[in-house]
Amino acid sequence: MSEAFINGRAIIPLESETILEAAKRLSVEIPTICHSDRLHAEGGCRICLVECEGEAHPMAACHSEIRPGMIIHTNTEKIETLRAQLHELYDHHRESSTPCSSAAQETHPYLSLDLTACINCRLCLNACEQIQGQFVFSISGRGSAKTISIGDMDTFADSPCVACGACADICPTDAIIDRDTLNNGDHQKAVTSTCGYCGVGCQIEVEVDVDANDVMSIKGVSDAAVNKGHLCAKGRFSHSYLKSGDRLTHPLIKSLDGSFKEASWGEALELITTTLGDTAKKYGPSSVGAFTSSRTTNEACYLLQKYFRSILLSNNVDCCARVCHSSTALALQLVTGTGAASSSYQDIEASSCILVAGANPTEAHPIVGARIKQQVLGGTPLIVVDPRKIELTEYADVHLQLTPGTNVALFNGLAKILYDRGDIDEPYLLERIENYEEFKVFIDTISLAEIVETTGVDLESMHKAASLISSTEGVGTLFVHGLGLSELEQGTASVMTLCNLGMLTGSIGKPGSGMLPLRGQNNVQGSADMGSMPDQFTGYQSVADPSARERVQKIWGSLPPEEPGLTIPEMIDAAADGSIRGLWIQGEDIAQSDPNESHVRAALEALDFLVVQEIFFSETCHFANVILPSASYLEQEGTFTNGERRIQHVQPAVTPPGESLPDWLVVRDAANLAGAEWRYQHPAEVMDEIARIAPHLFGGVSYSRLKKDGLQWPCPSVNSPGTSTVHSSSFLRGKGSLTTIDYAPSSEHHVSGYPYLLITGRILHHYNVGTMTRRSGQSSLTSRDFLEINPEDAKRENIRDGDIINIQSRWGQIAVPIKHSARTAPNTLFLSFHFPETHTNQLTGPALDPMSKCPQYKATAVKLLV
Amino acid sequence: MSIQCLAPTPVTTRRILTDKAGKPATPSYLGLHLALQSSPQQIIETITASGLRGRGGAAFPTGKKWQACAGTTSDQRYIIANGNEGDAGSYIDRVLLERDPHSVIEGILIGAYAIGASKGVIYIRSEYPTATSVMKTAIEAARDAGHFNANDFSCEISVVQGAGSFVCGEETALINAIEGLRGEVRLRPPYPTESGLFGKPTAVDNIETLCNIPFIIEHSANQYKRMGTSTSAGTKTLCFNHGFVRPGIVEVEFGTPLQTAIDAAGGSKSPLAAILLGGPMGCVIPPDQWDTPVCYEAMQARGYDLGHGSIIALPKSADKAALLRHWLSFMADESCGKCEPCSLGSKRSCQIINEPWNADSQKQLNDLLHLIGQTSLCAFGREIPRAVSQYLDIFHDEIFTPKSS
């Protein structure tokens, strides 16, 4: 017999299924207290006990396996009596006991703790361990005296807590509660949307007070593929910026005296379209350009690049992917045929080995970081390649702590070790990869002794790493990487040599392995996809490609030239020298975030005409002629594409303040004022056009198909479910290509008089230029950028923790407070760029990857003026 | 302390009996060397055929446990010797650890060979410091004699000290303790034979069980099986507390009536109301039932539980209420906290008997004990209420009749 029975109803048990799971399939409700579907069974409250005929004792449904032949009853009189008695026992205990720390905690910006309400269900502890992986909670005491304890000092602030909110979300009482829930009543509506912070693209449920037009709180969508109900402190809690008093609410036009005056949309758009049109006519289309925003929707990016290409006939369109993962996109496009991740986040849970290079996901992509951490805690080997001892190194099997900017040397060294040991997937290489013969010749010329010298990594560690990434019996390794590879003069080369390892180990095109670059912004993948590239239309079609031009011509009615336009760094140079006169910068604060700040400011100053489309008056706004107020991601509709090529729906939860408008609408109205006849009434129609412009990638994408979990491109037809693993049968370019390229030190290496290499980057608490996070509770957690220095270096230089120190590069000088940090290697420094007053990018310079034009943020020669 | 053997052939007491001077002699490890000449599977079959069952209290067939562990696919397995002997009045394992450590070591090594474990851990409760230091010395001696590396079979043994927890005698809590985690019970499945110490297949065996192993290998399963009953093979070591004329350990063949062992211990010093057998999770046996054979099945048939075999004299003159209070406060103190019925229920039961007694109290207490027994996660929570209920059945009049204070 294959059936079991629950309350008389038959069910065929699945493999390793619990009674509770089987009951759920039958819609039979069994009460629980300490149980959550997102966690392993705890088995402590015993409320889920059921009777099973033939068993001496009742069985806990949450952790007892259901087997064929079992006859189970979930609410007999005996069970009901036992449950009632248990509740009575628990109530009696709570009424009669006084916990040790009875003072409620009010010190954290987001989380409130009141142990008098705790029922010791351990959901918080288990969520913290099994979802986030922070291990903040512990249990003190034995038996009835046990209590939940937090960190060392019983406060969230002094513990490893990252304020992800998973505990507050899952706590069934008021013991742990987040302030959004504490301060608000019942919400009137809930809107499902996509988070607008980082490129992970978590699905959020936004609870709204419609009358007050207020976001009350944000929760994770529990069955979303990307985040399964989990969120980070930014996505969950940092939304108070929406109501910040300094939101831009009206279009602003700069008057002759330099002050900004409010204007109507009609006036502002008239000025913009006329000025840009006149400039293009007088000085040529190459005298104007646009930076589309990697934080706004696909539809807005598509329309802005369409405006410049089809109306002004200029290919000068670019986006901040340029200064971030442009090396990655170029490298992947050249060697695989797609400039995006070959894998998806679900490959983390399917992986047999993970290598993280130049990325710090537990700080910059928290949900992906948590998923990697859980997989590694479960036994999957981890190799970390990073100049810093990032959090993941505590969980890693080997940390290759290399000198900044020497990735190419390290990856060539690992390739040589793999090849010499025969630890390569020979059948895969012969069948699917080209240039293998040349590569073998090249490998022979590599000297491991030189690699050790260049990178500072010892041979034994390299061997260990090589043996781990290759020992996965046909499954391959998941290569996760970040800006530590891309933002270098050898950025493209770094990613190409990492891809070499992907190919040598047979990793690309299989589930559980492949290339997974962690895209930064919430829609940087999308804005690049939309054609915010000087040399490519939407869908990465070359502007010179005849069949692409034919299709675009049919749909747009006009075409830009075949020559590519300029990239962002080139546009800035051109602005500085006067060949670019007009720019439209949508949602990007280049005066704070682009390298070589003095140069950027001078370039912006030199422009004849600058349009800035923003939610706050940013550093870049100072230089604008027209400022257009934008709706934020919680206030407009459209789509974002995350780092795993997943196009997801964005829906407005509240209406934008004042006169501010969704970005796509502003561009449409500007275009129509300029004489185009853009009839889109809704962003869905823009997506329909995107699907027609680039059918090979987006042909099957439409809003009606974007329910639950969206679609991962390539999605070429309406029958396609999207693509999780790319290049699975063959590479999109046919065969994958191995690259032979030598390490070369950058222009910032070995600069006499500047002994330190500065790495710029991000910290957990803030996001990019901090426009949103500085205006939220995050500020109370961290309120400045700190220069992190190795404690031995600090000792030698006589610099104490907290001292304000002048730091100088060949490009500029700033003063910053110091933080001693053991995670920083000797002779390197780390500085974040979240606060405008730091002027971090005064230090970074003009060093660029010649192929991708990506700036070298990750290695700048500096000295400390002590 | 007296050491006696009533069985036809001594098994656990064989080396202790002959050692008059009280110092353990270093044996030849013949059992180990014989075992290494057979295959691991053959050893498992021998132990299975012998009918040996776990002596700690659960009485699970040892061969079956070793077979389950050996049958896993794993790069590492462990064997753990459970020396957390926590039952009140139980000191059988202590005597074996202190007086015959080499039988324990030899049993571990044979077991390690059988299941394919390269590491053994002896977990000894912190209240047995002498046993710990004797065992450490014996391990050094065994290593020096080459027994940890004989015949291509390598096994290292280490000693881990407990930290004052009764529940850490439960195999999953013990494993948690060795891993440095809270000494709380784990959910089963998975069973330790599948996923135990550090997630690897692990066999956890009681000290006394392990002491039987070398004998079985040296003398054969059949010889072992000739002693005992059809369901409980071999011998059992009982221990008697100071309420008896000759306190000490007595090894008996299974099937021997309790009375015979009691007589060997010289009978009680004063008239007894009952004996407490098997500690707080055990049972209460009045004198008219002392003809019960020492045997798992025979005892179960009468509603009794042999447990680990400790025997405490309960004099007629003893304060039965005081014992009840002690019993319940023991439960409350030792409850690990993993599940609520036991941790909260045990505390509540103490409150009930310490509050002024009224007409409802007895029913309250009985209902509560029933609740804890039915709903708790592990044997601790299931068995102590059962034992206390049995005690109350016999002595409730004496306990609950108001006395002049």
Side-chain angles (χ1 to χ4, degrees), chain A residues 6 72 89 104 128 167 265 296 319 377 385-386 400 410 455 459 467 490 495 578 616 640 674 707 766 777 801 857:
Chain A
I6 300 180
I72 294 162
L89 181 64
C128 190
C167 58
W265 276 105
T296 192
C319 65
L377 281 169
V385 175
D386 204 291
L400 304 177
L410 181 69
T455 61
L459 204 53
S467 80
Q490 279 205 306
V495 181
F616 288 106
F640 293 151
K707 310 274 180 282
H766 284 283
D801 212 42
Y857 286 110

Side-chain angles (χ1 to χ4, degrees), chain A residues 390-659:
Chain A
I390 59 171
E391 188 185 341
L392 278 181
T393 58
E394 292 165 43
Y395 303 83
D397 292 77
V398 57
H399 176 201
L400 304 177
Q401 194 169 9
L402 74 178
T403 303
T406 60
N407 305 305
V408 173
L410 181 69
F411 298 149
N412 280 341
L414 290 175
K416 180 179 178 64
I417 292 173
L418 284 173
Y419 182 75
D420 287 349
R421 282 156 50 144
D423 281 339
I424 50 177
D425 191 336
E426 187 94 5
Y428 177 93
L429 287 164
L430 292 172
E431 188 197 322
R432 306 196 50 188
I433 308 294
E434 59 191 28
N435 301 323
Y436 186 29
E437 291 306 313
E438 294 96 309
F439 191 73
K440 283 193 229 181
V441 170
F442 169 68
I443 280 293
D444 220 29
T445 67
I446 303 272
S447 151
L448 285 174
E450 265 176 48
I451 306 275
V452 168
E453 175 80 38
T454 302
T455 61
V457 176
D458 63 283
L459 204 53
E460 196 188 322
S461 299
M462 283 194 236
H463 271 280
K464 186 167 180 196
S467 80
L468 286 170
I469 65 176
S470 64
S471 66
T472 46
E473 284 154 8
V475 177
T477 293
L478 185 63
F479 293 90
V480 177
H481 84 264
L483 301 177
L485 262 50
S486 175
E487 289 178 349
L488 292 167
E489 273 181 16
Q490 279 205 306
T492 314
S494 295
V495 181
M496 285 166 118
T497 49
L498 186 71
C499 289
N500 285 346
L501 297 178
M503 293 180 205
L504 290 171
T505 57
S507 299
I508 307 180
K510 293 179 188 160
S513 62
M515 313 307 295
L516 188 62
L518 297 177
R519 304 308 296 255
Q521 303 277 16
N522 55 313
N523 200 31
V524 62
Q525 180 69 56
S527 65
D529 294 349
M530 292 302 108
S532 309
M533 306 248 113
D535 60 340
Q536 289 173 335
F537 289 123
T538 308
Y540 305 98
Q541 306 171 87
S542 166
V543 292
D545 174 58
S547 68
R549 290 180 71 82
E550 196 190 316
R551 187 180 322 114
V552 171
Q553 160 82 46
K554 256 198 217 118
I555 297 171
W556 287 2
S558 59
L559 275 177
E562 282 180 21
E563 294 113 70
L566 298 177
T567 61
I568 285 181
E570 290 167 327
M571 280 198 253
I572 291 172
D573 288 347
D577 74 28
S579 44
I580 282 200
R581 296 173 171 267
L583 280 180
W584 181 328
I585 299 182
Q586 183 187 58
E588 197 184 333
D589 191 3
I590 63 169
Q592 185 174 338
S593 62
D594 273 30
N596 204 350
E597 192 187 293
S598 316
H599 178 58
V600 170
R601 286 176 177 254
L604 290 170
E605 196 68 61
L607 284 170
D608 289 349
F609 187 69
L610 175 63
V611 181
V612 179
Q613 200 174 1
E614 255 294 351
I615 57 175
F616 288 106
F617 195 94
S618 66
E619 297 298 292
T620 305
C621 282
H622 287 287
F623 304 90
N625 296 91
V626 187
I627 299 175
L628 303 174
S630 292
S632 78
Y633 78 92
L634 289 165
E635 297 162 344
Q636 61 178 302
E637 185 166 5
T639 56
F640 293 151
T641 307
N642 76 356
E644 42 160 19
R645 299 166 275 105
R646 189 183 297 272
I647 303 170
Q648 299 182 107
H649 198 185
V650 176
Q651 298 197 78
V654 289
T655 58
E659 305 275 305

Side-chain angles (χ1 to χ4, degrees), chain B residues 12-13 22 73-74 106 119 132 154 198 230 252 258 318 340 373:
Chain B
T12 58
T13 56
T73 310
S74 182
E106 197 178 1
K119 294 204 172 126
T132 301
S154 263
F198 303 119
S230 58
V252 302
L258 269 171
E340 297 295 80

Side-chain angles (χ1 to χ4, degrees), chain B residues 366-388:
Chain B
N366 282 331
D367 284 349
L368 181 60
L369 290 173
H370 178 257
L371 175 68
I372 300 171
Q374 286 286 295
T375 61
S376 288
L377 172 61
C378 82
F380 179 91
R382 288 196 297 271
E383 301 302 312
I384 295 187
R386 177 199 49 71
V388 171

Side-chain angles (χ1 to χ4, degrees), chain A residues 48-66:
Chain A
C48 68
L49 289 169
V50 296
E51 280 197 81
C52 179
E53 287 181 22
E55 292 289 329
H57 292 95
M59 302 172 80
C62 67
H63 70 90
S64 300
E65 203 179 313
I66 184 168

Side-chain angles (χ1 to χ4, degrees), chain A residues 41-44 46 49 57-58 63 78 82 85-86 89-90 92-93 119 122 139-144 146, chain B residues 164-165 182 184 187 333-341 343-345 347-348 351 371 373-377 382:
Chain A
E42 174 62 29
R46 318 306 289 169
L49 289 169
H57 292 95
H63 70 90
K78 172 175 175 178
L82 289 176
Q85 288 174 332
L86 283 174
L89 181 64
Y90 302 160
H92 186 273
H93 174 77
I119 60 170
R122 306 192 189 183
I139 308 212
S140 314
R142 194 150 82 177
S144 63
K146 66 181 183 289
Chain B
S165 163
R182 263 177 77 83
E184 281 184 354
L187 300 182
D333 282 345
E334 297 296 335
S335 176
C336 70
K338 169 76 175 172
C339 81
E340 297 295 80
S343 57
L344 301 186
K347 180 184 170 196
R348 178 84 189 109
Q351 283 170 349
L371 175 68
Q374 286 286 295
T375 61
S376 288
L377 172 61
R382 288 196 297 271

Side-chain angles (χ1 to χ4, degrees), chain B residues 125-138:
Chain B
R125 65 186 303 216
S126 55
E127 294 88 341
Y128 288 172
T130 306
T132 301
S133 83
V134 166
M135 184 53 78
K136 284 182 174 169
T137 306

